[in-house]
Amino acid sequence: MDNPLLKPFGTPFDSVPFESLKPEHFKPAVLQLIEEAKQEIDAIVSNPAPPDFANTIAAMEYAGKRLNVASATFFNLDAAETNDDIQQLAQELSPILAAYSNDIMLNSGLFQRVKQVHDEADESTLTPEEVRLLDKTYKSFARNGALLSAEDKEKLREIDQQLATLTMKFSQHVLQETNAYQLHIQDQAQLAGLPDSIVAAAKSDAEKRGLDGWVFTLHFPSFVPFMKYAANRDLRRELYLASATRALKPNEYNNEGIVRDIVTLRDRRAKLLGFGTHADFVLQERMASSPALVLDFLQDLLQKAKPRALQEVAKLQALAETDGISSLMPYDHAYYAEKLREATFKLSEEALKPYFPLPQVLEAAFDAASRLYGLVFELRTDIPTYHPEVTVYEVLENGLHKALLYTDWHPREGKRAGAWMTAFRGQWKENGQQVRPHISIVCNFARPVGEVPSLLTFSEVTTLFHEFGHALHGILADTTFESLSGTNVYWDFVELPSQFMENYCYEKDFLRSFARHYQTGDPLPEQEIDKIVAAANFMEGYQTVRQLGFGLLDMAYHTGKLDNDTPIERFEKDTVRDTLLYPDVPGTAQSTSFSHIFAGGYSAGYYSYKWAEVLDADAFSYFKETGIFNPETAAKFKALLSSGGTIDPMTLYIQFRGRKPVPDALLKRAGLVE
């Protein structure tokens, strides 16, 4: 079989040749590239020369590059453009790749060379980045079982293969449950309250399914506006229950057992490696270095935010009572929050949407990157993509190639929910040459309908800027070693660049530069800009408490709190009881669809969103002091972004800011203190 993954790509910038790539290419390619990578590792182990940084640590770093691209491509497709064949392959390839990783980490000959370099190297002869890589490499071996007995190494292999399979199944079950549900409405009266654009999209969805009337789904562009605008409370409840019971129902996609198995295996793995809990294991390599520190951080924020949240919910309850609702429920929150927003600020997200067509917002993000970092984004039509809706841009700096940026904006059956940034290839330097990254942003914004372009809510504008911030972290990467490049930083530091970019959406001058009506070209009225800024921390108490609940739930799962007898639903509700602001809805739970922690890399790390908010608020306050596009301040932040994980994140932040971060800016921005 002529396999495009096994020969030079021959495409611009060596981009992935999607036009010739088929699902059946992946398994043989991965198997062959694993063997190729193993041969590269064997050459390191059998090298007769004494181990040193170049022939061991650096050589390991450059091994398996082709495998990395092939596996990244496969798993990116599984997230953004999957099908039955790819999902089946994912179940086959995940344990194979986990076994390969174990083969590297549990290779005693390789570890002996790494250990000798670690123990004997004269660090004065190494660059700071090389010292960092040496330390990271040694810790990776120790944290992945290199110091275990032969018997325990085999136990670790079995655990890792099981976890690879279980996390993949978890994600697939959530996608299947999301795709399986539709709310089919045939009575137009049941659409009361819904904006015309949402009704038109639902009509289009129904037509695609061969149905009369309107169809609403659990995909964000359909689910979120329905919950926000639909006057029919029974239908809001129905849609809420469908979302809040995903992978919780007694069917083949139930994730309760998988949640329990993942938690148990992670705990067993941590103990095998000498840690008390999975959270202890994870947090050893985080800015927040222990579960106690994380829990103190979460509880301190909860104490500050909950009084504000209770006041906010009381206002919503008072508003709901005018409709005869005596007890507000979770499926009422978005509806009455939008009513209160409109009443308080005379601000309607739906009325703002015509001023935020997707192409315009993207150009604004590009403009910000140009003004901050001197980047230029040029559309490329000659680079293959994995779906017709995907667009590719070449990123230039001073006229020179910097990166490729793939953008994929709209929901499809083969795409998981949410928004994320990823990469098909990272950045590194080899033999004096720069290898530049291929970055991707994937979202789920409503697609164009007829003559109407994709129009974003303001919250979706901030989502685009958030993911673009992650992308800039990857695009600006400028390190020698890929494993220290771009977003390869401590997990509670990785959200700083993304959340930092969200701040620009609330800057009046910047908003004026791009918020224009898609039909008339008229600028967003000044009073609307004032309202956006005034409403910036609307419901911030509620949102903070909700996020803290997710963080506490994550920590409870990963600090050994789950016992064998407590049902998942009961465990979840007992854990987050102090953060619940509405009455319980029996039979619902977040855990079985909580992909962030059970399939997305955030286990014992969900707290990092709030942790990074402290950093981003403090960082942006520096820009506010000096000018939000101040060249000197931007140059310092660009240095932070381009450094990746080559420097300890606290040291890196201090180099940028001149001091450690303080929470004052966050608390003030959130309205939690005067």
Side-chain angles (χ1 to χ4, degrees):
M1 179 172 58
D2 188 24
N3 195 322
L5 290 169
L6 294 174
K7 58 185 181 181
F9 289 170
T11 52
F13 310 110
D14 207 27
S15 56
V16 177
F18 289 110
E19 80 288 346
S20 57
L21 200 52
K22 296 180 172 62
E24 57 264 30
H25 290 139
F26 282 106
K27 187 172 182 179
V30 166
L31 293 176
Q32 184 170 326
L33 293 173
I34 283 176
E35 291 308 310
E36 179 183 292
K38 284 182 176 179
Q39 290 172 16
E40 292 171 332
I41 295 297
D42 289 344
I44 296 170
V45 176
S46 60
N47 189 337
D52 59 24
F53 183 87
N55 68 23
T56 301
I57 308 302
M60 283 176 55
E61 179 72 15
Y62 294 121
K65 291 295 190 187
R66 294 212 304 161
L67 174 62
N68 293 347
V69 172
S71 58
T73 299
F74 175 76
F75 287 109
N76 287 340
L77 286 182
D78 187 48
E81 185 59 18
T82 195
N83 55 42
D84 291 344
D85 291 339
I86 290 178
Q87 291 191 18
Q88 178 58 42
L89 273 172
Q91 294 193 34
E92 296 175 30
L93 290 179
S94 293
I96 290 171
L97 286 163
Y100 160 73
S101 179
N102 283 141
D103 286 342
I104 304 298
M105 288 294 125
L106 301 177
N107 183 319
S108 57
L110 184 62
F111 177 60
Q112 286 308 311
R113 291 184 68 91
V114 170
K115 188 175 187 303
Q116 188 172 338
V117 178
H118 179 264
D119 292 347
E120 299 177 4
D122 179 1
E123 292 191 356
S124 67
T125 66
L126 303 177
T127 68
E129 183 177 348
E130 289 170 342
V131 172
R132 187 90 172 159
L133 181 64
L134 175 57
D135 181 63
K136 181 177 180 177
T137 304
Y138 178 79
K139 282 182 178 178
S140 292
F141 275 87
R143 286 168 58 80
N144 285 283
L147 299 173
L148 297 178
S149 67
E151 180 183 356
D152 284 346
K153 284 180 180 179
E154 285 309 307
K155 291 180 182 176
L156 190 72
R157 283 181 183 275
E158 177 61 26
I159 288 171
D160 284 346
Q161 290 192 44
Q162 289 182 60
L163 281 171
T165 300
L166 287 168
T167 54
M168 187 57 58
K169 282 186 177 179
F170 181 98
S171 183
Q172 291 177 356
H173 286 180
V174 175
L175 181 61
Q176 294 281 6
E177 287 273 89
T178 300
N179 286 339
Y181 178 83
Q182 64 179 30
L183 174 61
H184 182 203
I185 293 177
Q186 292 178 284
D187 180 359
Q188 190 166 5
Q190 294 182 325
L191 302 174
L194 290 166
D196 292 343
S197 63
I198 303 304
V199 172
K203 183 76 171 175
S204 176
D205 202 345
E207 289 170 355
K208 289 175 185 174
R209 297 166 189 251
L211 298 171
D212 293 329
W214 303 266
V215 165
F216 295 89
T217 70
L218 299 180
H219 294 286
F220 279 17
S222 181
F223 175 80
V224 172
F226 192 93
M227 298 303 296
K228 187 179 289 186
Y229 296 109
N232 189 312
R233 193 185 192 207
D234 290 338
L235 291 180
R236 290 202 309 271
R237 181 177 185 275
E238 180 179 337
L239 202 62
Y240 168 84
L241 286 173
S243 177
T245 58
R246 281 179 298 168
L248 186 64
K249 296 180 284 293
N251 62 23
E252 60 185 311
Y253 303 125
N254 184 284
N255 273 341
E256 290 175 280
I258 290 178
V259 166
R260 196 176 293 279
D261 289 345
I262 289 173
V263 169
T264 300
L265 286 167
R266 285 173 175 168
D267 187 67
R268 192 181 303 163
R269 187 183 196 281
K271 287 181 167 57
L272 197 61
L273 292 168
F275 293 87
T277 66
H278 178 69
D280 289 299
F281 169 78
V282 168
L283 295 169
Q284 185 190 53
E285 293 291 287
R286 299 288 190 267
M287 294 180 77
S289 54
S290 71
L293 198 158
V294 170
L295 289 168
D296 284 348
F297 170 74
L298 295 175
Q299 291 292 348
D300 181 58
L301 266 182
L302 180 59
Q303 185 179 0
K304 291 181 171 70
K306 192 170 180 179
R308 165 80 176 271
L310 290 171
Q311 292 171 6
E312 292 168 350
V313 171
K315 290 180 181 177
L316 298 186
Q317 178 63 63
L319 188 58
E321 285 172 0
T322 64
D323 288 342
I325 296 176
S326 58
S327 179
L328 209 61
M329 298 298 288
Y331 44 84
D332 297 316
H333 175 84
Y335 181 73
Y336 285 101
E338 183 61 18
K339 278 186 172 292
L340 184 62
R341 184 207 306 271
E342 291 185 18
T344 305
F345 302 102
K346 303 296 185 289
L347 180 68
S348 163
E349 280 227 329
E350 190 61 24
L352 294 177
K353 283 171 61 175
Y355 294 90
F356 296 117
L358 173 57
Q360 222 163 269
V361 177
L362 182 60
E363 278 302 316
F366 289 169
D367 177 58
S370 175
R371 295 170 70 181
L372 286 166
Y373 311 122
L375 300 178
V376 175
F377 296 78
E378 290 190 353
L379 180 66
R380 295 291 298 247
T381 57
D382 58 336
I383 294 173
T385 64
Y386 57 85
H387 190 277
E389 290 182 337
V390 176
T391 302
V392 189
Y393 299 87
E394 182 186 1
V395 188
L396 302 165
E397 183 180 23
N398 298 322
L400 301 176
H401 175 76
K402 190 75 172 175
L404 291 182
L405 175 65
Y406 296 75
T407 61
D408 182 358
W409 300 120
H410 308 301
R412 298 183 294 272
E413 281 203 359
K415 183 193 285 191
R416 66 177 170 88
W420 63 95
M421 165 267 178
T422 185
F424 292 101
R425 184 177 79 184
Q427 175 271 328
W428 69 91
K429 297 171 187 171
E430 189 171 5
N431 300 323
Q433 298 295 312
Q434 270 271 15
V435 178
R436 297 307 304 169
H438 298 169
I439 305 298
S440 179
I441 297 175
V442 188
C443 294
N444 279 277
F445 301 144
R447 57 170 39 83
V449 178
E451 297 295 314
V452 181
S454 176
L455 301 177
L456 305 189
T457 65
F458 186 74
S459 62
E460 288 173 330
V461 173
T462 63
T463 295
L464 188 151
F465 271 74
H466 179 103
E467 300 307 332
F468 187 63
H470 281 309
L472 288 172
H473 204 179
I475 288 166
L476 291 168
D478 187 22
T479 68
T480 301
F481 304 114
E482 184 180 8
S483 66
L484 297 175
S485 176
T487 57
N488 291 314
V489 298
Y490 280 180
W491 209 251
D492 46 10
F493 193 67
V494 79
E495 294 297 334
L496 165 60
S498 54
Q499 294 179 181
F500 169 83
M501 284 304 296
E502 292 184 42
N503 289 283
Y504 282 88
C505 301
Y506 296 95
E507 289 299 311
K508 291 184 179 182
D509 285 345
F510 185 61
L511 269 174
R512 291 186 193 105
S513 73
F514 73 93
R516 293 183 174 276
H517 198 284
Y518 79 96
Q519 289 174 311
T520 66
D522 291 339
L524 183 63
E526 198 66 25
Q527 63 266 30
E528 297 300 310
I529 291 177
D530 291 340
K531 292 173 189 176
I532 287 173
V533 175
N537 59 12
F538 178 68
M539 287 287 145
E540 185 64 30
Y542 168 84
Q543 293 296 346
T544 298
V545 169
R546 184 171 179 269
Q547 287 287 94
L548 295 174
F550 293 152
L552 290 167
L553 180 61
D554 172 31
M555 291 304 294
Y557 274 122
H558 295 113
T559 52
K561 300 294 192 295
L562 179 65
D563 59 43
N564 293 327
D565 301 320
T566 307
I568 294 299
E569 180 190 347
R570 181 77 273 135
F571 175 79
E572 175 179 319
K573 287 170 181 174
D574 287 346
T575 299
V576 301
R577 190 173 305 282
D578 285 348
T579 68
L580 293 179
L581 299 168
Y582 292 109
D584 175 41
V585 180
T588 63
Q590 166 77 16
S591 297
T592 53
S593 60
F594 199 173
S595 297
H596 271 77
I597 68 170
F598 293 120
Y602 276 82
S603 63
Y606 198 86
Y607 75 91
S608 61
Y609 281 104
K610 299 309 292 185
W611 183 275
E613 277 192 48
V614 172
L615 301 177
D616 95 70
D618 188 65
F620 199 70
S621 70
Y622 188 27
F623 275 82
K624 293 280 280 185
E625 292 167 13
T626 60
I628 64 170
F629 290 108
N630 179 275
E632 290 78 18
T633 310
K636 290 181 184 179
F637 201 68
K638 184 179 183 180
L640 177 149
L641 295 173
S642 64
S643 297
T646 61
I647 301 171
D648 177 83
M650 186 59 77
T651 302
L652 196 57
Y653 189 87
I654 292 170
Q655 288 177 0
F656 157 69
R657 189 69 169 94
R659 58 162 173 74
K660 289 185 176 182
V662 293
D664 303 23
L666 170 63
L667 297 174
K668 185 176 180 180
R669 184 179 73 184
L672 301 178
V673 298
E674 293 299 326

